[in-house]
Amino acid sequence: MNYSKLTDFNGTPVAEISAGGYTAMIAYELGSNVIRLHDDKNGIEFFRFKKDNPAEVIKQSAEVWGLPSLYLPNRFADGVLKTSDAVYQLPVNEKAPYNNHIHGFLQKRVHTLAEHYADDNCAVVKTKYRYDENDEFFQYFPVRFLAEFTFTLSECGLEHKIKLTNLSDKMIAEAEKITELYLQQQKFHERIIKTIGGVVTVTLGVTLTLLGLKVIGSDDDLPQIGNDENVA
């Protein structure tokens, strides 16, 4: 029977959902990290998971546990992010000899649980995070936005959708340029994980709303970034 419930995982609240022969745990206060995706029939863990792993360990190394929310994505050489009408200097957190800014900040933030439920077909968790002047990263990246995450578990596996809504007074072109990078990483990370006796698909989808205008519909609409962009 499909279900959704709120519980505690070693010191952090999580939304646990089960449907279609799979169980998932979303730690919304740890950046909406899917800290567990389990194939109940075949006894398979899809992500790195330890039942006794303290929440503080996941928090300190969010990038290596579960399925973290990495935004801004990938690596920026010397911490420089160039857009159509601005240049942002991000902190360098991957030291020499690499000298990059890597992975961004959303995985390190406390997100809000918006909704969770289950029905005969699936189980769903929705979370969100509002990014603005109250975030310490805003000094480097002053573009307000709302990030909304929807996790749907069914017999098809886990569907992970992200919606980014631009709340800033920046030009839409600038916001589009920034979010192109995120879309490219999400497309790269779409994957099919083969299991014993079956296949489960983990789909990472993105919907962007820029100043109220939805600009991305499907993978075919994904913008392409030229080789001259400063990401690895």
Side-chain angles (χ1 to χ4, degrees):
M1 181 177 179
N2 300 343
Y3 70 80
S4 71
K5 66 178 182 180
L6 301 183
T7 185
D8 178 271
F9 179 79
N10 299 335
T12 191
V14 298
E16 180 179 316
I17 52 177
S18 182
Y22 303 99
T23 298
M25 299 173 67
I26 294 89
Y28 49 91
E29 291 193 358
L30 299 180
S32 294
N33 192 328
V34 185
I35 59 173
R36 189 180 197 187
L37 177 59
H38 185 260
D39 181 334
D40 301 330
K41 179 180 178 180
N42 297 297
I44 294 175
E45 298 285 356
F46 290 98
F47 308 134
R48 181 183 295 177
F49 177 78
K50 293 181 179 180
K51 289 185 178 181
D52 59 351
N53 201 18
E56 190 61 28
V57 171
I58 301 174
K59 180 179 180 180
Q60 294 301 320
S61 302
E63 299 82 6
V64 301
W65 297 101
L67 181 63
S69 304
L70 303 183
Y71 184 86
L72 296 161
N74 224 313
R75 293 170 170 84
F76 296 85
D78 299 319
V80 177
L81 168 60
K82 297 179 180 180
T83 68
S84 58
D85 60 354
V87 177
Y88 298 100
Q89 180 61 60
L90 308 179
V92 173
N93 56 6
E94 189 178 36
K95 305 303 181 183
Y98 305 107
N99 295 311
N100 297 314
H101 174 79
I102 185 172
H103 293 328
F105 55 91
L106 274 190
Q107 77 279 13
K108 302 178 184 296
R109 300 297 183 258
V110 175
H111 296 191
T112 301
L113 178 66
E115 186 179 8
H116 70 98
Y117 62 87
D119 57 29
D120 292 339
N121 299 313
C122 63
V124 178
V125 173
K126 296 183 179 182
T127 66
K128 60 184 179 180
Y129 180 75
R130 185 184 180 96
Y131 175 74
D132 56 23
E133 293 88 343
N134 295 313
D135 192 296
E136 63 185 39
F137 202 85
F138 198 80
Q139 61 182 307
Y140 308 109
F141 184 59
V143 180
R144 303 177 193 87
F145 63 84
L146 176 67
E148 297 173 276
F149 304 84
T150 301
F151 307 89
T152 303
L153 197 61
S154 69
E155 64 182 7
C156 296
L158 176 66
E159 183 182 46
H160 180 196
K161 292 185 177 180
I162 304 99
K163 178 181 178 182
L164 298 175
T165 303
N166 181 17
L167 304 176
S168 76
D169 56 359
K170 306 292 184 181
M171 294 176 59
I172 289 181
E174 177 178 313
E176 286 176 341
K177 190 68 173 180
I178 294 167
T179 49
E180 280 178 11
L181 303 173
Y182 187 67
L183 285 165
Q184 287 292 353
Q185 174 156 309
Q186 295 295 358
K187 185 176 181 182
F188 175 77
H189 282 295
E190 286 184 3
R191 69 197 76 174
I192 294 179
I193 302 176
K194 294 183 178 180
T195 68
I196 299 173
V199 175
V200 57
T201 302
V202 178
T203 303
L204 305 181
V206 178
T207 299
L208 295 179
T209 304
L210 302 175
L211 299 180
L213 176 64
K214 186 179 291 185
V215 296
I216 300 298
S218 67
D219 283 353
D220 294 335
D221 299 324
L222 287 171
Q224 300 299 311
I225 298 177
N227 294 329
D228 58 341
E229 294 297 338
N230 61 321
V231 293

